[in-house]
């Protein structure tokens, strides 16, 4: 389990990107949500030890502080940014020059991921389309087997078959002890895979709840008329999209865009958090 204790980060310019974030992140696949500029990428960089918190500490699954540039830490995590450029011509070359630094690298999983993605390990990365390069990168990152994997917009540049392949590769690469954090604006591409939702807004932690907790306490419905007990209401083409309390008798899929929008409003955010924690 990754623990964040009162994490804040201020850039040299004086901009406060994150403020007082305390959270436990269990193994699983986690959705990281937030508006542009909310602090998502800063949080990923802190978790990847590319940045050092201005205040607070982040500890790994062994309770040890995650020290910047420490080899013992770097071999246990990997950050795949949206614009990462590999220093290799092919996946085969990456395996020979890079994968040896990761003791959990799984060549069989890499082969399975590449097969799902429709990529050959000896293909030159520069000769591939943007979408295929992204598929190859994700396939390799997943196969490194690191206990902590950070993915920033992994579905960017992927067409519909590519997104389906991404789902399959994520499913076959996840295991009980692994923590995968996915930062994305296109939630629906992977919505069936998430175990929890982490939401940041303006540098503050708004949500850190499991999918089970949310589904047990909230219901996401559409109806012709507003419900009197609705915690959040927004108009849609045929009526009203709403978040209502769930007394345990109603199970619905989570409407992530509605949840995101509701949490940006202080009044509805307070109602939702009260429902989740009561």
């Amino acid at each position: 389990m990754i623990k964040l204790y009162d994490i804040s980060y201020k850039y040299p310019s004086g901009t406060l990107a994150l403020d007082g974030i305390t959270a436990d992140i269990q193994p699983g696949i986690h959705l990281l949500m937030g508006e542009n500029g909310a602090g998502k990428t800063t949080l990923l960089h802190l978790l990847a030890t590319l940045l050092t918190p201005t205040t607070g500490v982040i500890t790994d699954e062994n309770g040890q502080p995650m020290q910047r540039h420490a080899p013992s830490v770097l071999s246990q995590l990997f950050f795949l940014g949206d614009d990462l450029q590999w220093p290799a011509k092919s996946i085969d070359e990456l395996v020979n020059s890079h994968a040896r630094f990761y003791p959990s690298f799984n060549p069989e999983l890499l082969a399975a991921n590449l097969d799902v993605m429709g990529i050959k390990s000896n293909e030159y990365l520069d000769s591939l389309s943007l979408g295929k390069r992204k598929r190859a990168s994700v396939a390799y990152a997943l196969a490194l087997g690191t206990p902590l994997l950070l993915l920033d917009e992994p579905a960017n540049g992927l067409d519909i078959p590519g997104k389906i392949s991404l789902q399959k590769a994520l499913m076959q690469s996840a295991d009980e002890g692994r923590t995968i954090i996915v930062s994305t604006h296109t939630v629906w591409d992977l919505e069936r895979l998430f175990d929890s939702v982490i939401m940041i807004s303006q540098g503050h932690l708004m949500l850190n709840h499991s999918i089970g907790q949310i589904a047990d306490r909230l219901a996401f419905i559409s109806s012709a008329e507003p419900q009197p007990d609705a915690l959040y209401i927004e108009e849609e083409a045929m009526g009203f999209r709403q978040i209502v309390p769930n007394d345990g008798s109603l199970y619905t899929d989570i409407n992530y865009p509605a949840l995101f929008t509701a949490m940006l409003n202080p009044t509805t955010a307070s109602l939702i958090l009260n429902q989740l924690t009561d």
Side-chain angles (χ1 to χ4, degrees), residues 235-253:
E235 288 193 63
E236 58 181 357
M238 301 300 291
F240 298 89
R241 181 181 295 117
Q242 303 171 68
I243 303 176
V244 300
N246 184 8
D247 61 5
S249 63
L250 181 63
Y251 184 87
T252 64
D253 290 334

Side-chain angles (χ1 to χ4, degrees), residues 71-236:
S72 60
V73 172
L74 294 176
S75 66
Q76 300 299 305
L77 65 87
F78 190 75
F79 172 53
L80 182 62
D82 189 26
D83 56 353
L84 179 65
Q85 300 296 313
W86 293 108
K89 293 180 179 179
S90 67
I91 295 296
D92 280 341
E93 189 173 304
L94 267 177
V95 170
N96 292 329
S97 63
H98 181 264
R100 59 193 176 92
F101 295 105
Y102 295 88
S104 299
F105 171 66
N106 186 331
E108 291 78 19
L109 180 58
L110 174 60
N113 287 344
L114 290 173
D115 182 61
V116 164
M117 295 290 194
I119 305 291
K120 293 182 172 60
S121 63
N122 62 354
E123 290 185 85
Y124 276 21
L125 297 174
D126 286 346
S127 70
L128 300 176
S129 66
L130 172 63
K132 283 197 168 185
R133 283 200 303 275
K134 177 58 73 73
R135 291 192 208 183
S137 295
V138 173
Y140 177 73
L142 288 167
L144 290 175
T146 52
L148 176 60
L149 177 61
L150 309 166
L151 301 176
D152 191 7
E153 297 291 354
N156 268 8
L158 298 184
D159 56 13
I160 293 175
K163 291 173 181 178
I164 294 172
S165 298
L166 172 60
Q167 293 177 25
K168 292 179 180 178
L170 270 169
M171 284 190 290
Q172 67 189 19
S173 301
D175 62 48
E176 290 184 359
R178 195 172 194 189
T179 302
I180 300 175
I181 300 177
V182 181
S183 175
T184 182
H185 290 292
T186 55
V187 179
W188 43 87
D189 294 328
L190 303 169
E191 62 183 345
R192 300 289 183 181
L193 302 182
F194 297 123
D195 296 302
S196 83
V197 178
I198 303 166
M199 180 177 169
I200 295 175
S201 180
Q202 298 181 13
H204 296 277
L205 181 67
M206 304 296 292
L207 272 179
N208 182 26
H209 290 75
S210 72
I211 298 303
Q213 288 174 311
I214 296 171
D216 285 345
R217 305 306 301 272
L218 301 173
F220 298 79
I221 64 171
S222 294
S223 62
E225 298 294 334
Q227 301 297 305
D229 61 345
L231 306 171
Y232 172 75
I233 301 173
E234 63 181 44
E235 288 193 63
E236 58 181 357

Side-chain angles (χ1 to χ4, degrees), residues 4-11 15-22 42-43 46 51-58 203-204:
L4 295 85
Y5 299 92
D6 196 26
I7 294 297
S8 297
Y9 185 78
K10 182 180 289 187
Y11 282 99
T15 301
L16 185 62
L18 296 173
D19 187 12
I21 292 182
T22 295
T42 301
L43 178 60
L46 288 168
L51 296 174
T52 300
T54 304
T55 64
V57 65
I58 301 173
H204 296 277

